């Protein structure tokens, strides 16, 4: 990723994975390296769901997210010989997803897409959720996502990795190719910006809701 | 809850909610991947029809032949074990199109000549008229094959990229062609060529990528021989009338896809100057 040249080697990243899935993944990787394209289908089967949702958090556009993930898998297919099979596949793959997503966004018409995204979000918010589900919470989430979309790309990436994939900072560092300290700094800056952008009123609202539930 | 906890909770929930609303549960990217692979490699996921498999057999035989002969020529590259395996494969493939193959001599039974072989299935599914075919422009050296071939693709007997149509069998062949064989071919093939006859475009298949560069063309009796660069030849394209062939280490191998045997032999002989 831009701005980071040093790669953290601590990559404890195998979220939501069973032993069976890991075995399938290892077998698929071996096959793919040996030229068996069926391995790609297996990798897609294992990883596409998480990858797609993660890409969506970065792009805010389902079609673009699908393109990003498809491109990422094709990159895996093309560069599988570069993959070090002594290391976990996840960080390597998600790094490709991140880079592909950022590259895709750079080449897209940013302002137009952002506007479309916001309109879609607004429509979804008003049409899909019932008022009973909690107007305040919906409005807060809408504001939060809108605020996140305004953050610089490096901060958006670490936020999505932290709060959507729920990765530890060390694992995030492995994916984005930055030292853990840089990841912490980006998370800190992102939170600081979000605090500024999301009004105190909404934070209070969530706090109150949580207090009542919990 | 302190402010940091609240923010963490808010972010986690916002992401979860955002994704849940934005990404349908069973969304899959596999079709997109297949489509892109089709663009790059023209793979085909489903079984070609019986009719479409015929030129595939020819192409398969052609490519196996090519590899076998290239393997024999480049014995330093291919091990004896690999060659023996390839011999068995090519014998089976040759038998499937009605010719014999001798591993000892590397020759095909259909032709006594040492310089070429003709694999000859009868394949005449043409539904087009001569007048349509005669409107096809001449290939231009220096241009990509794909810049010329689209003029023919309005007669698609198959289409690797458009859904619902009959797949191009050679695409499957390309998909399954081992990388090690590709290397052998890359190191030995001088050029790929095909016979562009003044005949109706039939359902022949050219084992050449549309990215290959047209190197030259020459008139031969009854048509034009088009020579393209030897790389990227594994992917087929639809809609060509042709005898296809390969030149490696100065030797032509001719594979006829849809002419009669006598016509094919004549064309082959004219091509290599016999």
């Amino acid at each position: 990723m831009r701005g980071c040249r040093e790669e953290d080697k601590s990559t404890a990243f195998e979220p939501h994975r069973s032993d069976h899935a890991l075995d399938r993944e290892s077998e698929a990787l071996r096959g793919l390296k040996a030229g068996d394209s069926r391995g790609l289908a297996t990798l897609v089967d294992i990883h596409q769901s998480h990858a797609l949702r993660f890409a969506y958090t970065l792009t805010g556009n389902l079609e673009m997210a699908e393109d990003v993930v498809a491109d990422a898998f094709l990159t895996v297919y093309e560069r599988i010989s570069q993959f070090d099979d002594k290391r976990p596949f996840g960080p390597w793959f998600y790094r490709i997803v991140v880079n592909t997503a950022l590259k895709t966004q750079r080449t897209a018409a940013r302002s137009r897409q952002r506007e479309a995204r916001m309109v879609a979000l607004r429509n979804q918010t008003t049409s899909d959720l019932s008022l009973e589900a909690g107007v305040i919470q919906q409005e807060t989430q809408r504001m939060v996502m809108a605020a996140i979309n305004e953050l610089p790309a490096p901060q958006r990436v670490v936020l999505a990795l932290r709060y959507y994939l729920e990765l530890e900072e060390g694992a995030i560092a492995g994916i984005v190719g930055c030292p853990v300290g840089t990841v912490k700094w980006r998370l800190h800056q992102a939170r600081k910006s979000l605090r500024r952008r999301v009004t105190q009123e909404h934070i209070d609202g969530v706090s109150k809701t949580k207090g009542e539930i919990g | 809850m302190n402010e940091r906890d609240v923010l963490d909770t808010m972010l986690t929930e916002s992401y979860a909610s955002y994704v849940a609303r934005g990404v349908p549960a069973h969304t899959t990217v596999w079709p997109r991947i297949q489509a892109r692979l089709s663009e790059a490699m023209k793979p085909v996921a489903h079984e070609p029809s019986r009719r479409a498999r015929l030129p595939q057999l020819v192409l398969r035989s052609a490519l196996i032949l090519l590899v076998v002969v290239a393997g024999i020529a480049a014995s330093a590259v291919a091990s004896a074990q690999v060659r023996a395996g390839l011999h068995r494969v090519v014998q089976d493939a040759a038998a499937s199109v009605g010719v014999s193959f001798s591993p000892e001599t590397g020759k095909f039974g259909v032709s006594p000549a040492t310089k070429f072989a003709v694999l000859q299935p009868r394949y005449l599914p043409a539904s087009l008229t001569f007048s349509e075919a005669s409107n096809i422009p001449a290939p231009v050296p220096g241009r990509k094959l794909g810049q010329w071939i689209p003029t023919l693709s309005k007669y698609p007997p198959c289409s690797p990229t458009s859904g619902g149509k009959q797949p191009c069998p050679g695409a499957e062949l390309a998909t399954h062609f081992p990388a090690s064989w590709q290397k052998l071919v890359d190191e030995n093939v001088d050029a790929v060529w095909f016979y562009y006859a003044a005949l109706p475009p039939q359902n022949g298949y050219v084992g050449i990528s549309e990215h290959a560069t047209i190197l030259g063309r020459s008139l031969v009796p009854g048509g034009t021989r088009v020579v393209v660069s030897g790389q990227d030849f594994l992917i087929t394209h639809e809609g060509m009338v042709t005898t296809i062939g390969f030149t490696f280490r100065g030797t032509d191998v001719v594979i006829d896809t849809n002419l009669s045997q006598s016509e094919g032999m004549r064309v082959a002989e004219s091509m290599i100057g016999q």
Side-chain angles (χ1 to χ4, degrees):
Chain A
M1 176 180 288
R2 194 172 37 181
C4 287
R5 299 182 188 283
E6 193 179 331
E7 185 175 353
D8 190 287
K9 302 295 182 191
S10 60
T11 52
F13 173 70
E14 292 299 331
H16 320 290
R17 310 291 302 286
S18 65
D19 287 347
H20 175 62
L22 289 172
D23 288 345
R24 281 182 71 209
E25 180 186 275
S26 300
E27 195 178 329
L29 288 167
R30 273 196 302 275
L32 201 52
K33 277 202 166 187
D36 182 355
S37 58
R38 285 174 300 184
L40 182 65
T42 305
L43 291 177
V44 170
D45 185 45
I46 294 171
H47 287 284
Q48 67 168 341
S49 181
H50 265 91
L52 181 60
R53 285 160 176 74
F54 171 66
Y56 182 72
T57 67
L58 298 181
T59 62
N61 177 299
L62 180 57
E63 195 169 344
M64 198 189 294
E66 288 179 286
D67 277 340
V68 164
V69 175
D71 282 347
F73 278 117
L74 288 171
T75 302
V76 167
Y77 183 70
E78 288 165 4
R79 298 187 189 166
I80 192 65
S81 61
Q82 298 171 18
F83 171 64
D84 178 359
D85 48 18
K86 293 185 188 68
R87 305 187 67 186
F89 176 71
W92 186 69
F93 173 61
Y94 274 87
R95 189 170 188 171
I96 292 172
V97 174
V98 167
N99 289 335
T100 308
L102 296 182
K103 186 178 170 189
T104 302
Q105 283 197 302
R106 277 198 297 271
T107 54
R110 292 184 188 183
S111 58
R112 192 179 61 208
Q113 287 177 358
R114 183 169 294 139
E115 179 58 28
R117 201 158 61 225
M118 294 308 297
V119 169
L121 191 59
R122 230 172 276 135
N123 291 340
Q124 283 172 351
T125 302
T126 53
S127 64
D128 295 352
L129 298 177
S130 67
L131 288 174
E132 288 78 8
V135 174
I136 294 174
Q137 198 170 357
Q138 292 168 35
E139 176 63 13
T140 302
Q141 288 170 356
R142 187 191 67 75
M143 282 192 66
V144 169
M145 293 314 299
I148 288 172
N149 286 331
E150 295 299 320
L151 293 174
Q155 291 181 23
R156 280 192 290 123
V157 168
V158 295
L159 268 187
L161 290 167
R162 178 71 190 88
Y163 290 102
Y164 179 63
L165 290 185
E166 300 186 26
L167 299 181
E168 297 301 326
E169 286 152 351
I172 296 172
I175 291 174
V176 299
C178 290
V180 174
T182 304
V183 170
K184 286 182 177 176
W185 173 251
R186 285 179 184 169
L187 284 170
H188 171 74
Q189 288 296 104
R191 289 191 199 104
K192 195 171 152 188
S193 299
L194 290 175
R195 274 194 208 99
R196 267 203 315 269
R197 291 172 195 221
V198 179
T199 63
Q200 191 62 42
E201 184 184 345
H202 287 91
I203 291 180
D204 292 344
V206 170
S207 183
K208 189 178 172 188
T209 306
K210 290 288 156 193
E212 286 166 356
I213 292 169
Chain B
M1 292 176 93
N2 63 34
E3 191 183 342
R4 168 67 185 276
D5 290 339
V6 170
L7 188 60
D8 284 353
T9 302
M10 188 191 297
L11 284 167
T12 303
E13 290 185 350
S14 296
Y15 270 119
S17 169
Y18 183 61
V19 168
R21 278 181 284 143
V23 184
H26 300 294
T27 308
T28 176
V29 297
W30 185 241
R32 283 172 191 258
I33 292 171
Q34 284 184 307
R36 310 246 175 115
L37 283 172
S38 292
E39 285 297 313
M41 299 170 56
K42 310 269 197 297
V44 177
H46 44 292
E47 188 72 12
S49 70
R50 199 173 163 188
R51 175 170 143 167
R53 287 182 64 82
L54 193 52
Q56 180 187 359
L57 282 174
V58 177
L59 260 182
R60 189 186 299 277
S61 305
L63 291 169
I64 291 169
L65 161 66
L66 173 64
V67 171
V68 169
V69 182
I72 292 169
S75 58
V77 178
S79 72
Q81 191 177 7
V82 170
R83 284 204 307 277
L86 292 178
H87 285 162
R88 280 196 301 278
V89 173
V90 82
Q91 276 178 304
D92 292 344
S96 73
V97 291
V99 297
S100 61
F101 172 73
S102 166
E104 290 74 27
T105 62
K107 293 174 186 172
F108 284 80
V110 73
S111 169
T114 55
K115 286 190 176 179
F116 65 92
V118 178
L119 302 182
Q120 184 50 67
R122 184 83 184 176
Y123 187 64
L124 297 170
S127 58
L128 300 161
T129 65
F130 183 86
S131 60
E132 283 178 303
S134 59
N135 289 331
I136 297 169
V140 179
R143 301 188 73 182
K144 295 292 182 189
L145 195 61
Q147 294 175 290
W148 175 55
I149 279 187
T151 62
L152 303 176
S153 63
K154 64 179 178 177
Y155 314 110
C158 70
S159 175
T161 54
S162 57
K165 291 183 180 175
Q166 183 168 283
C168 293
E172 183 178 83
L173 178 67
T175 308
H176 297 304
F177 203 72
S180 56
W181 289 19
Q182 172 77 64
K183 183 170 181 291
L184 260 181
V185 168
D186 284 346
E187 289 172 353
N188 290 280
V189 171
D190 303 319
V192 183
W193 48 265
F194 52 90
Y195 182 69
Y196 164 43
L199 291 169
Q202 296 169 13
N203 295 359
Y205 295 86
V206 181
I208 305 168
S209 163
E210 61 193 43
H211 302 298
T213 302
I214 298 171
L215 300 176
R217 61 190 171 94
S218 58
L219 291 175
V220 296
T224 303
R225 172 174 157 143
V226 182
V227 181
V228 301
S229 54
Q231 279 72 46
D232 298 319
F233 76 94
L234 292 176
I235 299 170
T236 61
H237 209 292
E238 70 272 24
M240 295 297 297
V241 164
T242 186
T243 293
I244 63 172
F246 310 92
T247 305
F248 54 95
R249 299 199 170 182
T251 300
D252 281 352
V253 172
V254 181
I255 299 93
D256 187 322
T257 58
N258 50 28
L259 303 178
S260 68
Q261 180 159 328
S262 58
E263 288 168 329
M265 293 292 282
R266 180 175 56 76
V267 170
E269 286 168 359
S270 67
M271 284 177 170
I272 63 171
Q274 290 195 349

